[in-house]
Structures are given as structure tokens and as C-alpha cells.
Amino acid sequence: MNQPPPLAWLQDPIYPLNETIAHLALRRQMQLTKPPGSLGLLETAAIQLAAMQHTVMPSADRAHITIFAADHGIASEGVSAFPQAVTGEMIRNFSRGGAAISVLAKAIDATLEVVNLGTINDVEALPGVIHHRLGSGTANFLHAPAMTEQQLSAALTAGFDAIERAQQHSVGIFIGGEMGIGNTTSATALACALLNRDSPALTGSGTGLTAAQVEHKAAVIAQALSYHRAQIDSPLDALRRLGGFEIAALTGAYLRGAQIGLPLLIDGFISSVAALAAESIVPGCKDWFIFSHRSAEPGHRIVLQAFDATPLLAIEMRLGEASGAATALPLLRLACNLHNGMATFAEAQVSGQQFAE
């Protein structure tokens, strides 16, 4: 029997939002005992989530977090303040519960898993860590494509699989995160390619580079873009040439989540670039994105502008590993509580006219 091609699932349609429910949710917001629009993005988020969940009474409970981890060949160009060994060490830290996202996941009562897609050093079997090794990190994309076709397919499929696991546990919202030394360089290069922008405007300090090191990082990215741009023939190929295993896995997760109608709370710069890749590959994915925060990375603002998105928070975070999305989740839950629990003018016997005066 003939087997379907590995990425045949990319042809699946995006699950539609329920526009009727969105209208009803907006109508409810207009009837609650407050001036219309006075709760700002909390109103917008509740309406967006209602349309996603096909219910006028949305919920942000039952959250699941998947952290995808991998190393990057581009790190050999001196674009990070930390050595590549840190990626494997952080995977162990996730497993032990000592990382920021470990603490946050526990605080917000979210399930957490880590998927190791390939570190430069082998990592032993660990609780809460799925090992799906695609290589010892990506190739150095300054001189060659970061991934082979097979590695790209496997990384995207790892994201697909994470969504399938979340679906089996009746998760209501998915949060993707990443860990990988050198991945802000990869994300910046990919964003530049997808948005047709030059590197200086998007390049930031990542793990804490000096101004001179940021300038070097931007130059490395510019050189890599010069090498690859003429050969990139699709968003998928841009992802293969400039992305990382974990960025591709996040892209696959966002694609699959949008296909099955699972709300996706997007983290910071790197996660947003993966979201940009997903939207570039299959337009319409963005309907399922809720942007959690604006990172301190300069490129994040530009990526958010490409989505015409206003995130829930802007508190100068730049850690990654889904920490910004996890921090924003309680705010999203409060948005739902306000939307669902506030009295309408009629229920409270309050005249709406006084709010207009």
C-alpha cells in the first residue's frame, strides 16, 4: 500500500473560527456593567477565545506547555554569550523543576513536557523529557542549510505530535516554548527572510551580548542571508535553511493546532517567528494565535507589527522557554472570569446611560 508523503498533513484545512459566537461574545461585552471597551485587551482576548472555543463562555483552564530544545551550528560563530553545553544543562534543569518555566507551570497548574530534538552533547533519559534526536544540533547556516529535508520533516512532525498528545488530554490551550543556545540568531535570520528585512533592525542581545557583539551577530546574519536568499523558494525552504529543530517543531505545533482548532498562546520573539513561519506556510493559522507579551528583543516588535498584533503584556521579558506566555495565562483567565462572571446592566438593574455621561 502506498504511504502518504511525510508532510501530507500540511494540506489539512485550518479550523474555522465561529464568527456567530464572536458576535454574541461582543454583544455580551457591550451589556456588562462597565463602559464599553473599558477593560481593553481583556475584552478582546475573551471574545477571541470565545470564537476559538465556539462558546460564549470561554475558558483558559487546562493549559499544556511543550518546550522544544535543540542546539544550533551557528553558535560556532560567536553569536551567543553562553556555550552550547547550556542547552543540555537546561534540559536537566527543566526535568528537575528548577527552571523558570518549571516554577511557572506549577504555579498556573499547567502540564509541562520537554522535547529534546538534538543537543551537541548527549542527554541521558530524564523524567518529563521526550528524546527525539535529529542530530547534534543544526548545521552552521552561514555555510550550508541548517537542516536536511528529512530533518525539517521530522522537526515539523515533532510539533504535530505534541499537539496530538495535548489533544488526547483534552487540553484547552497550548503554550509552546523553546530552548537552544544560538536560537535568537536563527530566529532573526528567518524573520528577515520571511519579512524581507535587513538584519540590523531585528538583531538584539539575545542572552546578553554587548553592543559590539550584537553588531557582529547582525553581520553574521547578513552574510548568511546573502548566501541563502537567492536559493530560498518557499517559506518551508526558508525554515529549512535558517531555522532550528526547535523552531521548526514550534512551527509544526502551531500549524497543527490551527488545523484542529486548539487555541495557541504565543510566547516571545522566537516563538513568534515560528508563528510567522506557520502563517507564511499556511495562511490563516494566525486566527488561532493569542500573543502573550512583547519581548525586549527589538525584532519582536517588528514581527508583532507584521501580524498587526497587540500582546497582552509588555514587561521587558526576554527569557524564552514559554515564560512570557505562562506569565500571561493568569491574565487570560481573568479575562474569561470577567467576561463570564460580570453582571449585565439588566441583571444588576443598573442604567447603562450613566456610563456614557
Side-chain angles (χ1 to χ4, degrees):
M1 185 175 71
N2 291 330
Q3 294 294 319
L7 295 180
W9 59 272
L10 289 181
Q11 305 303 315
D12 291 354
I14 302 301
Y15 198 80
L17 298 178
N18 191 317
E19 297 298 341
T20 300
I21 291 293
H23 175 76
L24 292 174
L26 173 60
R27 183 176 170 184
R28 174 173 174 78
Q29 281 286 339
M30 297 296 289
Q31 295 172 343
L32 298 179
T33 48
K34 59 177 175 59
S38 59
L39 290 176
L41 292 178
L42 297 180
E43 296 183 17
T44 306
I47 294 167
Q48 184 180 4
L49 198 55
M52 291 174 172
Q53 296 179 340
H54 291 221
T55 175
V56 178
M57 298 295 190
S59 168
D61 297 333
R62 304 189 330 276
H64 174 76
I65 304 168
T66 298
I67 307 299
F68 299 101
D71 274 317
H72 292 254
I74 196 67
S76 65
E77 301 298 328
V79 293
S80 175
F82 287 86
Q84 283 191 280
V86 168
T87 305
E89 292 165 357
M90 281 302 299
I91 291 173
R92 297 182 181 97
N93 195 26
F94 293 140
S95 178
R96 291 192 298 264
I101 191 57
S102 309
V103 175
L104 289 166
K106 185 176 180 180
I108 62 176
D109 194 28
T111 52
L112 172 66
E113 68 175 13
V114 178
V115 181
N116 177 12
L117 295 165
T119 53
I120 193 168
N121 298 319
D122 287 338
V123 177
E124 66 278 11
L126 294 166
V129 178
I130 298 169
H131 290 285
H132 188 68
R133 189 174 179 83
L134 305 181
S136 298
T138 54
N140 183 346
F141 66 74
L142 185 60
H143 306 296
M147 289 173 268
T148 65
E149 295 280 0
Q150 293 76 17
Q151 287 173 326
L152 174 62
S153 177
L156 288 164
T157 302
F160 175 105
D161 291 342
I163 295 295
E164 295 296 294
R165 287 192 298 273
Q167 190 179 30
Q168 289 170 9
H169 291 91
S170 301
V171 166
I173 192 162
F174 178 85
I175 297 173
E178 41 62 40
M179 173 62 211
I181 296 301
N183 64 5
T184 58
T185 303
S186 179
T188 302
L190 180 57
C192 287
L194 294 174
L195 297 174
N196 195 28
R197 298 290 296 264
D198 293 328
S199 62
L202 278 82
T203 306
S205 63
T207 51
L209 299 177
T210 65
Q213 290 170 325
V214 171
E215 186 176 346
H216 167 71
K217 179 178 172 181
V220 168
I221 293 168
Q223 186 178 344
L225 288 170
S226 178
Y227 176 82
H228 288 285
R229 257 182 173 146
Q231 304 173 73
I232 293 172
D233 58 13
S234 68
L236 267 177
D237 195 46
L239 181 59
R240 181 180 73 87
R241 290 176 174 276
L242 301 169
F245 296 153
E246 82 284 33
I247 296 173
L250 276 171
T251 301
Y254 296 151
L255 284 163
R256 190 57 182 169
Q259 289 172 343
I260 69 169
L262 179 61
L264 304 162
L265 188 57
I266 310 298
D267 191 38
F269 174 55
I270 295 163
S271 295
S272 295
V273 172
L276 180 65
E279 175 64 18
S280 300
I281 294 165
V282 182
C285 289
K286 65 180 180 181
D287 287 348
W288 293 91
F289 301 160
I290 300 173
F291 291 90
S292 62
H293 78 116
R294 186 178 68 234
S295 167
E297 280 290 303
H300 197 201
R301 188 185 299 271
I302 293 172
V303 173
L304 289 171
Q305 287 173 350
F307 279 109
D308 193 23
T310 303
L312 293 171
L313 295 171
I315 51 176
E316 299 298 309
M317 294 181 72
R318 57 180 179 85
L319 174 61
E321 66 184 50
S323 58
T327 299
L329 183 63
L331 195 62
L332 189 57
R333 288 172 173 168
L334 287 173
C336 293
N337 290 342
L338 288 164
H339 178 86
N340 300 338
M342 283 184 67
T344 64
F345 287 110
E347 290 167 344
Q349 299 182 359
V350 173
S351 171
Q353 183 62 33
Q354 70 186 56
F355 287 101
E357 296 174 351

